[in-house]
Amino acid sequence: MKASLRLFHLFFSKFTIIKITKHPLIFIFIFSHFFSYLATGQSLISLHYTFLIGKSTASVIVEETCIAIWDVLHTAVMAQPNKEEWLKIADNFQQTCNFPNCVGAIDGKHVRVLKPMRSGSQFFNYKKYFSVVLFAVCDANYCFRYINVGFYGSSSDFGQMLINNALDLPGNTALPGITYQSMPFVFVGDEAFALGEHLMRPYSSHGLSSARRVFNYRLTKARRVVECAFGILSNKWRILNSPIHLKLETAISAVKAACALHNFVRQRDGFNFEDSLSHSMESPIRSGVRGTTHGAAIRDHFTAYFMSTQWELPWQMQAK
């Protein structure tokens, strides 16, 4: 409820229809229409009959509202962190996930769309349906810190930002409790991502030693927050659970708007724990990803740290 009232205040003057009518009741109607569409995933035709409006009007309302929500909210709830904010994120990961120097968990998910006109097989994925990929970086509070909605190369844009140091990450620092080894701040992902200086992925599951098994457990414990965030997102905004019946550009705007609203609601009203337990969004397959020798050395240092007597978890040796 708090979030809804705040949204009304933020968006009152953002829509063409509002500027024409100058009537606040029209604004309330637009928001009711839009949130019904985003939260239920029903079609525009269904909204056409439910709200007794033209199909073209319904389409315009959805398109304008998605763009307005992203324009207004993304700088407020998804601005790129500065060095001090990255340090706070890392401290939160350390406290909640027992993974030091971690500044985010990353993953990508398919979002079903209708086949764009004249796109051929460009958006056709290995699951045999058309989709765009939502790539996201999540903090330990299940909030998205960065998103990119597009092709399979969405994550490579983020990788390029890491290489170019465009994320303003803090400089290397020693892990808590030690002084002899400075370590970079890192993001954690699954096997789909390439190992690098600022990106950790699990060891291959073949022939794992006890130490490597422990590292995989500690990394997975930190990485699960992004899976939980996708669960909260898709259970709150159910448009993501079925094909989005909009033109491609509007569908992408709808996904971005849902992510911005996810952060807005998460920061003000919290979330239902059950929503974080499951979702139907599927991960893209990336093959042929390679890591760097420097990244492998950093991963080995984390592994040794997790196995040290002082910083091991009492139950980590029972991890499978």
Side-chain angles (χ1 to χ4, degrees):
M1 184 63 182
K2 293 184 295 182
S4 298
L5 292 174
R6 178 65 177 155
L7 282 174
F8 285 148
H9 175 75
L10 286 172
F11 294 114
F12 184 75
S13 62
K14 292 296 292 185
F15 301 96
T16 303
I17 295 175
I18 294 296
K19 293 174 182 176
I20 294 173
T21 62
K22 301 293 185 181
H23 202 301
L25 291 179
I26 299 297
F27 178 72
I28 295 173
F29 171 76
I30 287 174
F31 253 49
S32 299
H33 168 93
F34 173 74
F35 283 117
S36 176
Y37 176 75
L38 212 62
T40 63
Q42 59 184 304
S43 67
L44 291 177
I45 294 177
S46 176
L47 293 179
H48 156 67
Y49 288 110
T50 301
F51 290 93
L52 301 179
I53 58 175
K55 284 177 277 189
S56 60
T57 302
S59 178
V60 169
I61 287 175
V62 169
E63 182 175 1
E64 283 199 5
T65 310
C66 287
I67 293 172
I69 283 178
W70 178 252
D71 287 347
V72 171
L73 284 186
H74 86 276
T75 54
V77 301
M78 210 182 296
Q80 179 176 307
N82 56 34
K83 285 183 171 64
E84 291 73 22
E85 290 168 332
W86 284 125
L87 289 172
K88 291 179 182 178
I89 293 171
D91 183 63
N92 204 0
F93 266 103
Q94 167 70 10
Q95 297 298 321
T96 61
C97 302
N98 304 116
F99 202 111
N101 282 32
C102 178
V103 289
I106 67 174
D107 201 5
K109 296 296 180 185
H110 286 292
V111 178
R112 294 172 180 259
V113 296
L114 297 181
K115 181 183 182 299
M117 294 181 61
R118 294 183 292 277
S119 64
S121 61
Q122 185 176 9
F123 295 89
F124 196 67
N125 65 45
Y126 73 103
K127 288 288 187 178
K128 309 300 182 184
Y129 59 81
F130 292 92
S131 68
V132 292
V133 175
L134 166 59
F135 172 80
V137 177
C138 182
D139 65 22
N141 289 320
Y142 310 115
C143 288
F144 298 119
R145 291 294 181 160
Y146 170 88
I147 65 166
N148 193 324
V149 187
F151 311 126
Y152 287 102
S154 298
S155 60
S156 65
D157 295 338
F158 179 76
Q160 200 60 44
M161 293 173 70
L162 282 179
I163 294 172
N164 297 333
N165 197 27
L167 296 175
D168 194 29
L169 294 177
N172 292 7
T173 186
L175 298 178
I178 62 175
T179 58
Y180 56 83
Q181 177 69 46
S182 291
M183 297 284 281
F185 287 86
V186 299
F187 297 88
V188 293
D190 60 18
E191 297 88 345
F193 297 96
L195 183 66
E197 179 183 4
H198 295 287
L199 206 166
M200 294 290 100
R201 56 170 280 173
Y203 288 102
S204 171
S205 59
H206 301 293
L208 282 177
S209 64
S210 296
R212 291 186 173 191
R213 185 176 292 108
V214 166
F215 174 86
N216 284 1
Y217 165 72
R218 298 282 286 264
L219 181 141
T220 301
K221 191 172 186 291
R223 199 192 67 80
R224 67 177 173 81
V225 298
V226 71
E227 291 287 350
C228 292
F230 280 128
I232 297 167
L233 173 72
S234 60
N235 282 296
K236 172 76 75 173
W237 310 108
R238 295 181 181 273
I239 189 176
L240 301 174
N241 291 333
S242 57
I244 302 178
H245 290 254
L246 299 169
K247 63 183 181 180
L248 181 63
E249 294 79 8
T250 307
I252 291 175
S253 294
V255 175
K256 292 164 67 176
C259 291
L261 287 169
H262 164 88
N263 279 12
F264 187 85
V265 174
R266 173 73 188 91
Q267 292 170 5
R268 287 160 177 78
D269 292 348
F271 68 98
N272 294 323
F273 174 73
E274 291 79 7
D275 287 345
S276 69
L277 299 179
S278 64
H279 62 78
S280 60
M281 302 175 74
E282 296 173 311
S283 299
I285 286 182
R286 302 177 184 87
S287 58
V289 292
R290 299 174 64 108
T292 65
T293 303
H294 185 43
I298 291 170
R299 182 170 63 178
D300 289 341
H301 283 301
F302 273 112
T303 302
Y305 179 82
F306 294 149
M307 291 299 292
S308 62
T309 304
Q310 187 177 3
W311 302 109
E312 67 179 0
L313 300 177
W315 60 86
Q316 68 184 21
M317 297 305 295
Q318 282 72 50
K320 301 296 183 181

